[in-house]
Each structure stands twice: as structure tokens, then as C-alpha cells.
Amino acid sequence: MELSAGQAVERDAAVMMLDIRSFTPFATTVSPHVVVEALTLYHGLVVPIVERHGGVIDKFLGDGVMASFGAVMPSATAAADAVAALDEILAIVPAWHAALAAHGIDEPLRINGAVAAGRIVFATIGNDERLEYTVIGEPANLAAKLEKHNKVAGCIGLVDGDTYARACDQGYAPARAVRTLADCRVDGGD
């Protein structure tokens, strides 16, 4: 099949956004080599977890990562897979800190993440010289807003109520205690 810009399919999927808190100030105080080394160690831990749970990295956004579950290939457990991957990623932070320390990086960087699920458009965008796959839709927007809201809510991981219910219906069982934020409004949301 020949790929071209503008190809698209609509399906149910989940989107996970990850970010490293305090990375920008860290990056301004160390050499470019150390910045890239920290990111390489981070990606070396995060990418296999995403893939193990059936996800695909959509893009690397500096110190952020956008991953989709059930977008490239349909999945009946996309929400459960994404939330389980987020659980595992948040649990590896001590291992990441140990890997950083072994490379002489002592900054206590934190990973934050969020997941949202729903109807997305999985598309090929770009032009004849550069094509990318991406996901478009409210779940991608909401996941980005939730990830940023972690700081406001004092959390390391957020999942909206509908996505969490969908994940539980698909077989997800929380690996740690879950806190519900009642009547929470996310900046930039409707």
C-alpha cells in the first residue's frame, strides 16, 4: 500500500502524554551531552513499556512523549493498556533515577503522565517529502491538558473518569491506590 498525506481512519483509542517535570531548568544548567544522555535513558525505559502494552510512540516532544494505544491497530483494550502502561512507567522512576545517578546525573527529575481515551482520527499527515502518522481528536487534547494539570492537582498521573471507567471495564486493575478528584476542572477544558 502506498502512503500519502491525507489518509485517515476513525477509531476508538487511548492517548498517553508523558512529561519530565523540571527538565527545562535542568537542561539550562548542564551540557547538551548530559541533556541528551538523560533523555536517552528515559526513552530507553519508557519506550519498551509502551510497546509491551501494545502502544506506539506517536512522537517525542523534547522531554515529552505522546503514545497511542489502539490507533495504529484497533484494540478492544486500548484504555486498559494505556492506563497499565502509565502505572508501570510511573513505577520505574526510581530505576530511572538510579540509571541517571550511574551516569553522574543527580537531578531528581520526575515523570508525569496522563491518559485519555475515546474516538480519534489516526492519519497520515505531511507532504510528499515528509509523512508522519498521528492521532487527532479530543482524547489527544485532553491527555495533554491532564498531563499539565498534574502540577496543579499535585499528582504524577491523571486519567479522566470516563477513561478510567472504560479501562476498568476492559480489565484494568490499579497497581496502586487511586485518588479521585471530585469536581475537577482542567485548564483549557470546556
Side-chain angles (χ1 to χ4, degrees), residues 6-106:
Q7 295 175 327
V9 62
E10 189 176 11
R11 59 177 53 125
D12 285 324
V15 177
M16 178 172 54
M17 299 295 269
L18 300 171
D19 189 63
I20 303 172
R21 286 286 173 250
S22 304
F23 194 80
T24 301
F26 163 75
T28 63
T29 62
V30 298
S31 73
H33 173 76
V34 172
V35 170
V36 173
E37 190 171 19
L39 287 174
T40 300
L41 292 167
Y42 166 61
H43 295 148
L45 291 170
V46 168
V47 171
I49 293 170
V50 168
E51 291 173 345
R52 190 167 42 256
H53 289 277
V56 174
I57 301 298
D58 185 284
K59 57 185 57 86
F60 296 108
L61 307 156
D63 60 306
V65 174
M66 179 180 179
S68 64
F69 298 76
V72 175
M73 295 295 295
S75 170
T77 59
D81 296 339
V83 176
L86 180 59
D87 269 352
E88 190 174 339
I89 288 166
L90 296 176
I92 58 107
V93 171
W96 183 47
H97 286 163
L100 289 170
H103 286 81
I105 304 168
D106 295 324

